[in-house]
Amino acid sequence: MFQAQVKQRDAFFDNAKYLAIVLVAVAHAWEPLKGDSRILEGAYHVVYAFHMPAFIIISGYFSRSFDMRPDRLKRLVTGVAVPYIIFETAYPLFKRVVADDPGQDISLLDPWYLTWFLVALFVWRLTTPLWNLVRWPLPLALGIAMLASVSPSIGEDLDLQRVLQFLPYFVLGLCMKPEHFQMVRRRSVRLLAVPVFTAALAVGWWTVPRMGTGWFFHRDAAQQMGAPWWAGPVMVLAMFGCSLLLTACFFAWVPGRQMWFTALGAGTLYGYLLHGFLVKAGDYRGWFEPDWLHRPLGQILVSALAAAAVTLLCTKPVQRAFRFAMEPKMAWAFRQDAAQGAREREKAAEKAAAEATEKSLEKAPLG
């Protein structure tokens, strides 16, 4: 019997996005606690070395086909720019109310807490056609990141330091092919990832009194962190190498089959933007202050609660409730694209032809 072909989502990428967003939420929950534990702060360094690079590489990989076609530009506006405006406004308003801080400013030029990623994704996707055009995109992106790391004059508008210093990971994703992900998912790599992560945790513990966490955030130039200018390019390359190694190990451990959390991978942006309200509410209201939370069992409990909360925020009911902010249709804001209309009519005709063919095959006599 003839069956229409349906494009299936790759479970590996949904699993990777979900696990990465859980690490993001857990690491944010560690921030108020890590100052009392060198072990926790060392783990924080390790997680920050690869969780956002992994997420950004996947974002780049799925942006490879982006061009200036009107329908894709519309999705960029409605799925990235509009959520940025909404959440960049919502977070300061939330602080005004919950922290009783009526003087908190609202500024679309100064990304607040988590919203920097939306600015970065908007800029990166707009420049995708350029990266697909140049001959050596990754070396060029690394060069730009190195120059940014020695340029404190860039300032804080739109968090451009992060946009530029994280750029190589996005460009790397643009350059990757399916076989590259298959390479890191081999059994040998999974086994090698165990000693690599063990060594990384030891190095993370060692770096706690010796290396500021600012290097992991990529939001400042070297001079702004009290380091000589030449440390910026050196650290960009060093961090890029370490992040790629740990990201490869992370991908090696991501299951490729359907799991109970696979479907949640489609809602990771919801979990990313919404979990910040819970973390900030805890910070404003003193939820992290009890002494017992700063002991090992308390830290484990906070980690589990953060993982559970972000999991809940990735579910379908939450997606339906907040789709107006994350994925608004906004058909009223755009002109009708004649080419897009023609494509939709062509798809409808192909679907009708496939259905007619299937019905005719069903009615045909056997033998």
Side-chain angles (χ1 to χ4, degrees), residues 126-139:
L126 275 184
T127 59
T128 293
L130 172 63
W131 299 114
N132 288 334
L133 178 66
V134 299
R135 182 168 293 179
W136 298 293
L138 186 56

Side-chain angles (χ1 to χ4, degrees), residues 250-289:
F250 169 71
F251 285 150
W253 285 347
V254 172
R257 64 186 184 280
Q258 287 284 332
M259 306 291 289
W260 65 266
F261 53 78
T262 301
L264 301 176
T268 48
L269 186 60
Y270 290 79
Y272 176 78
L273 290 173
L274 293 173
H275 86 274
F277 291 105
L278 297 178
V279 175
K280 285 300 181 183
D283 188 25
Y284 300 150
R285 293 296 187 180
W287 297 349
F288 297 102
E289 292 177 2

Side-chain angles (χ1 to χ4, degrees), residues 31 44 48 113 116 148 154-156 159-163 165-166 213-222 224-225:
E31 287 179 2
Y44 180 86
Y48 256 83
Y113 194 35
W116 71 267
I154 288 177
E156 298 181 357
D159 234 345
L160 284 179
Q161 278 288 356
R162 273 179 164 166
V163 174
Q165 291 194 38
F166 274 115
T213 55
W215 293 108
F216 297 93
F217 299 149
H218 298 285
R219 65 185 178 201
D220 295 303
Q224 292 171 293
M225 292 186 285

Side-chain angles (χ1 to χ4, degrees), residues 79-99:
V80 179
V82 172
Y84 170 73
I85 294 171
I86 291 173
F87 282 88
E88 182 64 11
T89 304
Y91 269 112
L93 290 176
F94 182 76
K95 185 177 182 181
R96 286 186 183 185
V97 175
V98 178

